[in-house]
């Protein structure tokens, strides 16, 4: 069991498969990209599967999310999913992607055992997409979403970040589109994920702003129960249902007290939080003939020291020095 000193138990593993991406989103990385990890520094397919196996069979992990960078750029992705799906107990498996490669891979991923996908899409406007991502691939993302839905990778969730002066007015339009296409839309407050450290707290669109904008066109009813537990999204029923919309208020309404996540970076480091400044090196253990018990013990120690919160709610928060592309979302 991966438990920390605050009594939280991590059952959700996020695995970054690569630091590379085929987009250059303005809130994530500079136009020229980053200095990518050297291939020997990346975990191999076998090492990834071994760590997932240890997490699932020895540490109580039940959910595995493959992330990046852009995980569809990982050549061995389908094989990794297939091997993890064969584990006992079988974890629930999902993928966070920009959607560009989904049209050609969705069916294979579903056959391999992937359960569902989260696709990042911040705008319905091709010109705004090109400005945000510095790439003209908007239609590829729309095609990828449709392919995921047709392959049965459902519910297909769409992650959207709104930014003033770019797509800040699109919330109602995006929700209408998601409802029409059967996608579950989730708005995410912009977090300090950019390598160039350009994020400013006073320039972000908050969860409150988003809900006010949506309410100009839709009737939103807070989901019954109101308690989200460890789920990051607060959800609302749209116009009486059955469609729902989520808002992840990581900055203004943090949910750290119920966090159930552990993170594995593309180069084999355990992080107890997306914004942690400390890492525990599991890659070195794997490559020095450590036993599964040895690796599990290292992982437990890493999670035991997890801090109470991410620090995002602190106005003096300092962004991590390490680029987020290798850490995963």
């Amino acid at each position: 069991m991966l438990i920390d000193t605050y009594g939280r138990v991590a059952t959700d593993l996020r695995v970054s498969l690569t630091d590379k991406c085929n987009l250059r989103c303005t809130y994530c990385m500079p136009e020229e990209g980053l200095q990518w990890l050297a291939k020997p520094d990346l975990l191999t397919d076998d090492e990834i599967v071994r760590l997932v196996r240890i997490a699932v069979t020895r540490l109580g992990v039940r959910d595995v999310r493959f992330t990046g960078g852009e995980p569809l750029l990982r050549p061995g992705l389908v094989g990794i999913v297939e091997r993890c799906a064969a584990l006992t107990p079988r974890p629930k498996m999902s993928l966070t992607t920009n959607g560009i490669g989904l049209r050609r891979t969705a069916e294979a991923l579903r056959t391999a055992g992937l359960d569902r996908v989260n696709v990042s899409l911040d705008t319905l406007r091709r010109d705004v997409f090109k400005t945000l991502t510095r790439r003209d691939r908007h239609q590829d993302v729309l095609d990828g979403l449709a392919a995921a839905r047709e392959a049965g990778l459902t519910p297909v969730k769409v992650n959207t970040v709104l930014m003033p002066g770019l797509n800040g007015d699109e919330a109602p339009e995006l929700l209408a589109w998601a409802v029409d296409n059967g996608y579950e839309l989730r708005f995410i407050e912009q977090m300090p994920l950019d390598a160039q450290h350009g994020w400013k707290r006073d320039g972000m669109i908050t969860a409150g702003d988003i809900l006010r904008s949506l309410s100009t066109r839709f009737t939103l009813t807070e989901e019954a129960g109101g308690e989200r537990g460890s789920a990051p999204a607060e959800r609302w029923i749209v116009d009486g249902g059955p469609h729902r919309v989520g808002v992840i208020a990581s900055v203004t309404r943090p949910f750290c007290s119920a966090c159930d996540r552990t993170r594995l970076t593309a180069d084999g480091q355990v992080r107890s939080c997306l914004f942690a400044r400390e890492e525990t090196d599991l890659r070195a253990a794997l490559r020095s003939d450590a036993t599964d018990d040895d690796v599990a013990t290292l992982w437990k120690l890493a999670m035991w020291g997890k801090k109470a919160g991410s620090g995002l709610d602190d106005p003096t928060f300092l962004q991590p020095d390490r680029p987020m592309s290798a850490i995963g979302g």
Side-chain angles (χ1 to χ4, degrees):
M1 180 182 295
L2 294 171
I3 190 169
D4 64 33
T5 55
Y6 297 92
R8 297 168 297 192
V9 178
T11 59
D12 186 331
L13 169 61
R14 304 298 169 100
V15 183
S16 174
L17 298 180
T18 179
D19 57 332
K20 294 180 181 177
C21 188
N22 42 12
L23 296 180
R24 296 292 181 269
C25 297
T26 56
Y27 55 81
C28 184
M29 67 174 71
E31 186 171 6
E32 65 275 13
L34 299 168
Q35 184 174 349
W36 309 122
L37 292 168
K39 187 174 181 179
D41 293 335
L42 292 170
L43 291 174
T44 66
D45 293 1
D46 287 345
E47 287 170 338
I48 290 170
V49 173
R50 182 184 175 193
L51 287 172
V52 172
R53 176 173 55 78
I54 291 170
V56 169
T57 62
R58 294 172 181 262
L59 298 174
V61 164
R62 298 192 297 268
D63 296 273
V64 177
R65 172 83 62 86
F66 298 109
T67 70
E70 173 46 51
L72 294 180
L73 295 180
R74 177 86 186 202
L77 173 60
V78 172
I80 290 170
V81 170
E82 186 173 32
R83 292 168 68 185
C84 291
L87 294 173
T88 302
R90 182 196 186 282
K92 294 180 181 178
M93 291 185 295
S94 58
L95 179 83
T96 294
T97 171
N98 62 31
I100 286 176
L102 266 180
R103 182 173 60 178
R104 65 178 181 273
T105 57
E107 189 63 43
L109 287 168
R110 180 60 174 158
T111 300
L114 192 71
D115 295 300
R116 64 171 191 83
V117 294
N118 284 41
V119 179
S120 299
L121 180 65
D122 299 322
T123 178
L124 297 177
R125 304 167 189 170
R126 178 180 172 183
D127 59 327
V128 176
F129 182 91
K130 189 174 180 180
T131 298
L132 280 171
T133 67
R134 304 184 179 102
R135 298 291 187 271
D136 190 9
R137 305 295 300 272
H138 190 248
Q139 189 59 49
D140 292 323
V141 180
L142 297 178
D143 291 345
L145 278 161
R149 182 186 59 209
E150 291 163 10
L153 292 169
T154 54
V156 176
K157 296 184 179 181
V158 178
N159 295 340
T160 296
V161 177
L162 297 179
M163 288 153 286
L166 288 169
N167 62 342
D169 62 337
E170 286 195 63
E173 183 181 1
L174 280 158
L175 181 52
W177 164 81
V179 167
D180 288 344
N181 286 278
Y183 304 138
E184 184 174 322
L185 183 62
R186 307 196 311 173
F187 292 98
I188 304 174
E189 287 183 337
Q190 185 182 0
M191 294 180 286
L193 301 176
D194 56 315
Q196 57 269 41
H197 292 190
W199 178 83
K200 289 182 173 56
R201 180 181 298 272
D202 57 6
M204 60 175 285
I205 294 176
T206 68
D209 297 330
I210 294 165
L211 291 171
R212 282 189 290 273
S213 179
L214 293 176
S215 296
T216 63
R217 185 166 171 180
F218 301 94
T219 299
L220 302 181
T221 306
E222 192 169 359
E223 195 169 42
E227 294 296 328
R228 61 185 176 185
S230 60
E234 299 175 81
R235 300 206 306 176
W236 281 262
I237 299 169
V238 180
D239 290 343
H243 301 286
R244 287 166 171 74
V245 63
V247 179
I248 300 177
S250 303
V251 179
T252 61
R253 296 203 288 266
F255 39 88
C256 300
S257 63
C259 180
D260 66 348
R261 297 179 183 178
T262 181
R263 298 177 181 274
L264 186 63
T265 69
D267 55 351
Q269 312 299 306
V270 165
R271 294 174 69 95
S272 59
C273 173
L274 184 62
F275 296 99
R277 292 179 174 272
E278 302 82 21
E279 297 180 333
T280 298
D281 189 357
L282 297 188
R283 183 191 65 196
L286 294 179
R287 296 179 183 179
S288 62
D289 298 322
T291 67
D292 286 358
D293 284 339
D294 294 335
V295 174
T297 297
L298 279 174
W299 208 327
K300 288 178 183 178
L301 290 172
M303 294 306 295
W304 182 251
K306 184 172 182 173
K307 294 181 179 179
S310 66
L312 278 177
D313 54 343
D314 182 350
T316 64
F317 174 81
L318 295 176
Q319 298 182 47
D321 295 326
R322 188 176 187 193
M324 287 291 172
S325 60
I327 298 170

